[in-house]
């Protein structure tokens, strides 16, 4: 979890081997195909405005789980009271690590250059 700027809080869940979304089957959700590669995304509504996004696709940087439209501390409280995040990712399975966003961007750039050199 990190702030992009003073107004937006971005929460990311990385490195999941599998996700059990059966707990969400009775929830309001949308299945979308997005972007040029038409990757599948599931948007599960946690509140009227906040939704959990589960994204797939060929590019590993587009795969993941995000919580979108979190603007305030009250939004975080609303998410917490649903209890759904703990069902998706049980607390005993969470391993918090220091996330270095600069290293992440540099590693991504390095791999992109390797792909370009190999294929072009």
């Amino acid at each position: 979890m990190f702030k992009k700027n003073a107004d937006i809080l971005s929460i990311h869940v990385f490195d999941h081997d599998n996700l059990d979304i059966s707990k969400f089957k009775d929830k309001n959700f949308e299945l979308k195909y997005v972007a040029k590669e038409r990757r599948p995304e599931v948007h599960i509504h946690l509140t009227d405005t906040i939704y959990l996004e589960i994204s797939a696709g060929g590019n590993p940087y587009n795969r993941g789980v995000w919580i979108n439209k979190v603007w305030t501390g009250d939004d975080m409280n609303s998410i917490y009271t649903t209890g759904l995040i703990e069902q998706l990712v049980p607390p005993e399975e969470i391993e918090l690590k220091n996330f270095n966003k600069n290293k992440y961007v540099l590693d991504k750039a390095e791999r992109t250059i390797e792909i370009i050199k190999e294929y072009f």
Side-chain angles (χ1 to χ4, degrees):
M1 176 169 68
F2 57 90
K3 286 190 173 187
K4 289 187 176 180
N5 62 41
D7 298 326
I8 298 173
L9 183 66
S10 182
I11 300 171
H12 298 259
V13 178
F14 290 100
D15 297 331
H16 55 276
D17 294 323
N18 58 55
L19 291 172
D20 178 8
I21 61 170
S22 64
K23 305 277 195 274
F24 296 97
K25 67 182 176 188
D26 296 329
K27 301 295 176 194
N28 182 16
F29 73 91
E30 298 173 72
L31 173 63
K32 296 182 174 190
Y33 294 95
V34 300
K36 188 176 173 181
E37 79 269 22
R38 304 216 6 100
R39 70 179 176 272
E41 288 185 356
V42 176
H43 293 187
I44 302 168
H45 297 272
L46 301 177
T47 70
D48 289 339
T49 56
I50 300 167
Y51 64 94
L52 179 80
E53 173 188 324
I54 301 172
S55 184
N59 180 342
Y61 298 108
N62 290 333
R63 289 193 298 258
V65 178
W66 294 269
I67 299 175
N68 295 308
K69 307 295 182 186
V70 176
W71 305 111
T72 68
D74 288 340
D75 290 340
M76 290 299 294
N77 290 335
S78 296
I79 294 167
Y80 177 75
T81 59
T82 66
L84 295 175
I85 302 305
E86 291 82 0
Q87 292 177 26
L88 179 67
V89 183
E92 62 273 8
E93 294 180 14
I94 295 175
E95 180 184 345
L96 296 177
K97 299 178 181 177
N98 290 329
F99 178 70
N100 183 329
K101 62 184 176 183
N102 293 326
K103 182 178 179 328
Y104 176 78
V105 170
L106 291 173
D107 288 346
K108 182 177 178 180
E110 183 178 331
R111 284 190 287 279
T112 301
I113 291 169
E114 288 171 5
I115 290 170
I116 292 170
K117 285 180 178 178
E118 183 174 344
Y119 295 102
F120 297 99

